[in-house]
Amino acid sequence: MSKVVWLAGLALVLAACSSPADPGPSVASLGTPSVPASSSAPPSTDADGGRPRHRVDESPEDSQRLIEPWRTCMKDHDADVDQQPHSIAGAEQWSKDHQAAGDACRSKLPLLPWGEDPANPAYKDNLHRWVECMTSQGMHVAEDPDDDESPWHYTSNNQPPDSDKIEQGCEVQVMGPSDK
């Protein structure tokens, strides 16, 4: 999932989430064997209400197919997501204006890939390793896990010509495809 898709997904999540976020997974007991951060299992459908979840290695067509039921539901409730603003403040206001649609359609809104979900206990470590991977391949980026718009940003306009491939390759290497 490219940074652009991630940003679009974040805006959609903000637009649709007018009530508190779903709780994260429960903490494993000491008797549970440890699992590497990149292969942390996503929360059960009980924790996420059965909502679909994006994958970092999904195709654009798979992404569209996954989100289409939510988009249709929102339109059916007079909230055309194509009309929402492209800023955090605008999306928050749009969300307030369309709270009833967001509530009605929440169960259809796909969640972020588990490796990129702030509810994942390994989220910050995943982000750190993703940025580390990109910088090791010549990209000029820095992590910013507390930024609401993007968990990392460019530190230079001078990026390798294949930076999109590097970004996606590192994302899949660090966070997927084990985030089914």
Side-chain angles (χ1 to χ4, degrees):
M1 183 181 305
S2 73
K3 187 173 184 182
V4 172
V5 173
W6 191 91
L7 289 171
L10 177 61
L12 292 172
V13 169
L14 284 171
C17 295
S18 56
S19 62
D22 293 330
S26 57
V27 177
S29 69
L30 292 175
T32 304
S34 81
V35 178
S38 64
S39 63
S40 294
S44 71
T45 55
D46 294 335
D48 60 31
R51 288 170 56 186
R53 185 174 289 281
H54 284 288
R55 292 176 46 105
V56 297
D57 61 343
E58 70 191 15
S59 69
E61 296 80 17
D62 287 340
S63 179
Q64 285 301 109
R65 195 171 21 258
L66 193 63
I67 203 162
E68 192 55 39
W70 174 78
R71 293 174 61 83
T72 300
C73 181
M74 292 294 284
K75 284 182 183 179
D76 290 348
H77 287 86
D78 298 321
D80 186 350
V81 295
D82 294 328
Q83 302 300 316
Q84 69 174 307
H86 296 286
S87 68
I88 297 298
E92 287 173 349
Q93 183 59 50
W94 188 91
S95 177
K96 288 176 188 172
D97 295 344
H98 298 92
Q99 181 174 351
D103 291 345
C105 300
R106 187 162 336 289
S107 66
K108 294 176 179 8
L109 178 66
L111 298 164
L112 290 170
W114 181 236
E116 297 174 21
D117 190 329
N120 181 342
Y123 168 72
K124 286 190 178 184
D125 182 55
N126 289 347
L127 173 59
H128 178 74
R129 291 184 307 117
W130 185 15
V131 168
E132 228 173 32
C133 178
M134 289 186 289
T135 58
S136 75
Q137 295 186 47
M139 289 185 66
H140 305 282
V141 295
E143 62 191 270
D144 197 354
D146 299 321
D147 185 325
D148 288 337
E149 293 191 42
S150 178
W152 60 266
H153 62 272
Y154 295 103
T155 59
S156 166
N157 290 331
N158 185 21
Q159 299 296 331
D162 61 344
S163 60
D164 286 344
K165 268 188 172 174
I166 293 170
E167 175 191 338
Q168 186 175 19
C170 287
E171 182 180 28
V172 171
Q173 176 184 328
V174 170
M175 295 185 234
S178 61
D179 61 353
K180 298 177 183 174

